Amino acid sequence: MELTTLNHYHYKRLQEFCSSVFVKAGVEKEQADIVAASLVQADLRGVDSHGVVRTAIYLKRVEQKMINPPKAKIRIEKEDESTALIDGCNHFGAVVGDKALKLAMKKAKANGVGMVGVKNSNHFGTGAFYALRGGLKEDLVTIVMSNASQTMPPTGGIKPFIGTNPLAVGIPCGECEPFLLDMATSVVARGKIIVAAQKGEAIPHGWAIDKNGKSTTNAEEALKGSVLPLGGPKGYGISMFIDIFSGVLTGAGFGKYVNNMYENWKAPQNVGHFFITIDVNKFMDIKTFKHRMDLYIRDIKTEPKAEDVEEIFIPGEMESRRSEQRKKNGINLSQNVQRELTNIGMKYGVSLKDALMLNHNTEGKGV
């Protein structure tokens, strides 16, 4: 298959490709589908750093038994009416997260709120995946947190100590797009610097520092150094509270005890997550709440605009539009990612070519 920057892939077929290679690597089909859906949804929403580019590292960790799906038996360690603690037993983060979300949703519907902590997990993709997969469909407010390995210094430091720990918040609306905040606590997700390094591109000033604590626009040097906290001490503080909820409180790794997915091949990651779901009906009728949310959003969008601004967006709105566009026109993968996935497909006997679109508006297998 000729690799060009113009190759577009149908999202469903790309998801089937990813799922198939995970199955060939020994993952159960239902679990492989969840992981593949997480990766492709990230690409659809334009969060390419968490998309199918992660397929290779996920597979490598399976091959090296750093993630061990056949032996991983996810279990509930503690539980009461509104809370639970799940031991992910070193399964895929997306699989563990999906189970934790469903349990939190069940508890919220029964008791008004569900809070589920997770330990012994792995990288779980984007927080938006869980809000969209469950909470927003069920008219629940969803708060998703996870910690990560050390990529960010404490304010005033120069060495990585804390992760770019993500926070996602999904709130249902009526006729308007739902509010969906999905953010890292760094200026930028480290995955975007990885993508820039793969492309040989420079990164903006202020994203990162090198190993000596100096500001750098060189992606390779940034990966040897640290990503910077969003808003300085504010992002640092938010990252700490996410780490405390996801790591300290759950019994998972925290701070320097969360292992790096790319560099540590001796021990599992031991990532921690925390899910909170809230039943709006415990506060007011959901229809009334959605009406109030719509009013709130419409008021914001009709505010006076700055020069050269055509539209004011709410969190998640741009990603939602991008997702619809990519569902129609296909997902455009970089040459490096195409080459990597092609090689993976050859190894496991699955053809990436089958995910190609005949054109930008027609689903097809390519030729």
Side-chain angles (χ1 to χ4, degrees), residues 157-176:
I158 63 172
K159 288 180 60 179
F161 178 85
I162 200 165
T164 59
N165 303 331
L167 170 68
V169 181
I171 302 176
C173 297
E175 297 178 358
C176 295

Side-chain angles (χ1 to χ4, degrees), residues 180-251:
L180 182 47
L181 173 69
D182 187 8
M183 55 172 274
T185 46
S186 56
V187 174
V188 66
R190 189 170 187 268
K192 291 189 177 181
I193 299 179
I194 293 173
V195 171
Q198 290 173 339
K199 293 180 179 179
E201 296 176 350
I203 60 173
H205 177 75
W207 275 18
I209 54 177
D210 64 19
K211 63 182 180 181
N212 298 313
K214 303 295 184 182
S215 180
T216 182
T217 58
N218 184 299
E220 294 286 353
E221 292 301 314
L223 293 176
K224 297 175 185 176
S226 303
V227 181
L228 291 173
L230 174 70
K234 295 179 181 179
Y236 163 48
I238 295 172
S239 184
M240 276 192 69
F241 102 70
I242 293 172
D243 207 10
I244 292 167
F245 269 65
S246 301
V248 179
L249 181 61
T250 64

